[in-house]
Amino acid sequence: MIRNIPKITLTDGNSIPQLGFGVWQMPNHEAQKAVSTAIDVGYRLIDTAQGYDNESGVGEAIAAADVSREELFITSKLRNGAHQYDDAMRAFDESLERLKLDYLDLFLIHWPVPEQDLYVDAWKALVALHEDGRIRSIGVSNFLPEHIERIGEATNLLPVINQLELHPLYQQRDVRNFHAGHAISIECYSPLGSGALLDNPTIAKIAKKHGKSIAQVILRWELDQGLVVIPKSTHEHRIRENFDAFGFSLDAEDTAALDGLDDPEDGKTGGHPATMNTLF
Ligand code: NDP
C-alpha cells in the first residue's frame, strides 16, 4: 500500500504534499526513468525547472504514469533569461508543451537575478497566468525578503511559497521568521545538502540510534518543522528510502543536535540570491 504523504495548506487554499521528488542534474532519459520510479513508489510532487532541460523527460513519465493528473502536483520554474513579461508568458507555454500538460500546480521564478532587475515583470506574468487558471499556485525561489516585499508592493499579491536552500548546515532561521510573518510556506531545496551531509558524524549517531539512514533523519528533522522537502536521487533504493522518512520520531536531544549543526557562514552549498546573475 502506498503511504499518504501529509499535505501543507498554502495561503491560496491549495495544498502541497510535504515530501516530493527533485530532478536537478538529470538528463531527459534519466529524469523519465527516475520520475516513473518515484511515482510508482508513491511520490506525487515532482519538482523540475526550465533550466534543468529535462521537462520533456518528466512529461514522458507523467504521461505514462498510472495515476490521474489531479493526484499529481507538478512544479516548474521560470528560467532567468525569460523575466520580461512576454518572454515569461512564452516560456510558460513552452514548459506546458514539454510537460504535455494544460496547467501547472506550482510555477516559481527560479532566481530574482537582481542585476537584471526584471523579476517584478516576471511576477506580473505569473499573476496573469494564475488568474487565467493555468497555474494553480504561484511562488518564487531563492528570493530574499527584500525581493518578496517588492513584488508584494507592485502587485498586492505575495508568493504562497519560496523554494530555498535549507538543511541542517544552512537553516536560515531569520529568513524563516520573515516567511512565517507573511504566511509564506518554505520548500527546502537540496534538503540533503546536495549530498554534503550524508557522512556527517553527528547525524550518523542519531541515525544509528533509530535504526534509520542519515538521509531519513535529515528529512524527518525538516518535516518536523513543517517544511516541504524535495530530495533528488537517481537510485531506486534511495528514492524508496527517502520516501520512508515516516514512522519514527526524533527526540529533543536529537533535534537539539541537528539544530546545532547550523553554519550560516559556510553551510551553503549553492549560489547566493544576492549575487547569482547568470542567465540561462
Ligand atoms: P539533495 O539534497 O536532494 O541531494 C541529492 C544528492 O544526494 C545526490 O547526489 C543523490 O545521489 C544523493 N542522495 C539522495 N538520497 C540519498 C540517500 N538516501 N542516501 C545517499 N545519498 C543520497 O540535492 P539537490 O541539490 O538535488 O536538491 C534536491 C532538489 O531541489 C533538486 O533536484 C531540485 O529539484 C531542487 N533544487 C532547486 C534549486 C533552486 O534553485 N530552486 C537549486 C538546487 C536544487 P544519487 O542521485 O546518485 O542517488
Side-chain angles (χ1 to χ4, degrees), residues 8 19-20 23 42 47 90 108 116 121 154 162 165 173 184 194 199 203 207 244 252 264:
I8 301 271
L19 172 67
V23 299
D47 182 85
R90 204 172 310 119
L108 309 174
Q116 177 177 239
D121 265 31
N162 192 2
E165 179 172 345
R173 295 280 171 183
I184 301 169
S194 244
D199 56 359
I203 310 177
D244 191 23

Side-chain angles (χ1 to χ4, degrees), residues 24 47 141-142 163 190 192 194 232-235 238 242:
W24 182 38
D47 182 85
S141 176
N142 295 299
Q163 187 183 111
S190 304
L192 306 174
S194 244
K232 168 259 177 189
S233 177
T234 47
H235 293 90
R238 291 174 174 171
N242 296 343

Side-chain angles (χ1 to χ4, degrees), residues 245-266:
F246 299 87
F248 74 106
S249 310
L250 300 174
D251 61 32
E253 197 188 328
D254 304 331
T255 304
L258 285 152
D259 288 353
L261 293 176
D262 195 16
D263 183 2
E265 294 302 315
D266 295 319

Side-chain angles (χ1 to χ4, degrees), residues 4-278:
N4 281 325
I5 297 296
K7 289 187 173 178
I8 301 271
T9 303
L10 304 169
T11 48
D12 60 10
N14 295 329
S15 56
I16 180 170
Q18 219 190 332
L19 172 67
F21 187 67
V23 299
W24 182 38
Q25 292 176 316
M26 292 186 199
N28 275 307
H29 69 279
E30 207 167 71
Q32 179 179 356
K33 185 163 174 267
V35 170
S36 290
T37 303
I39 293 175
D40 283 349
V41 166
Y43 291 82
R44 294 294 175 259
L45 158 57
I46 308 296
D47 182 85
T48 182
Q50 294 173 349
Y52 299 170
D53 286 329
N54 61 17
E55 289 176 317
S56 304
V58 172
E60 295 289 342
I62 294 170
D66 202 12
V67 295
S68 70
R69 171 68 186 95
E70 282 302 311
E71 283 180 68
L72 295 169
F73 189 103
I74 308 299
T75 305
S76 191
K77 314 184 193 84
L78 180 68
R79 64 190 170 83
N80 289 354
H83 279 197
Q84 284 199 8
Y85 188 91
D86 289 344
D87 291 345
M89 297 302 248
R90 204 172 310 119
F92 174 76
D93 283 342
E94 288 165 6
S95 268
L96 283 192
E97 211 170 295
R98 285 189 293 266
L99 286 161
K100 299 185 234 317
L101 298 176
D102 55 11
Y103 73 93
L104 283 188
D105 297 277
L106 179 66
F107 195 52
L108 309 174
I109 304 177
H110 205 148
W111 291 88
V113 200
E115 230 169 63
Q116 177 177 239
D117 198 19
L118 284 171
Y119 60 86
V120 173
D121 265 31
W123 183 246
K124 287 179 180 166
L126 265 62
V127 170
L129 290 161
H130 176 57
E131 282 169 0
D132 277 356
R134 303 182 72 208
I135 311 172
R136 299 236 162 131
S137 294
I138 49 174
V140 294
S141 176
N142 295 299
F143 269 46
L144 298 173
E146 70 209 54
H147 305 131
I148 293 180
E149 277 166 352
R150 193 156 154 227
I151 58 174
E153 278 160 22
T155 61
N156 259 330
L157 192 66
L158 288 174
V160 296
I161 210 161
N162 192 2
Q163 187 183 111
L164 299 172
E165 179 172 345
L166 201 156
H167 46 74
L169 288 181
Y170 196 65
Q171 299 183 18
Q172 306 230 46
R173 295 280 171 183
D174 47 348
V175 168
R176 279 156 73 182
N177 287 337
F178 169 87
H179 287 73
H182 292 82
I184 301 169
S185 296
I186 294 184
E187 186 172 29
C188 307
Y189 79 62
S190 304
L192 306 174
S194 244
L197 276 161
L198 293 165
D199 56 359
N200 182 286
T202 303
I203 310 177
K205 212 168 131 195
I206 299 169
K208 193 166 175 211
K209 174 169 134 189
H210 292 282
K212 292 287 171 182
S213 73
I214 291 184
Q216 287 168 328
V217 167
I218 298 169
L219 295 171
R220 185 69 260 152
W221 175 84
E222 289 155 354
L223 293 165
D224 282 348
Q225 298 172 75
L227 300 162
V228 178
V229 295
I230 44 169
K232 168 259 177 189
S233 177
T234 47
H235 293 90
E236 181 171 346
H237 69 283
R238 291 174 174 171
I239 295 173
R240 287 187 185 282
E241 181 183 311
N242 296 343
F243 195 69
D244 191 23
F246 299 87
F248 74 106
S249 310
L250 300 174
D251 61 32
E253 197 188 328
D254 304 331
T255 304
L258 285 152
D259 288 353
L261 293 176
D262 195 16
D263 183 2
E265 294 302 315
D266 295 319
K268 189 160 180 39
T269 64
H272 195 284
T275 52
M276 164 59 175
N277 289 298
T278 310

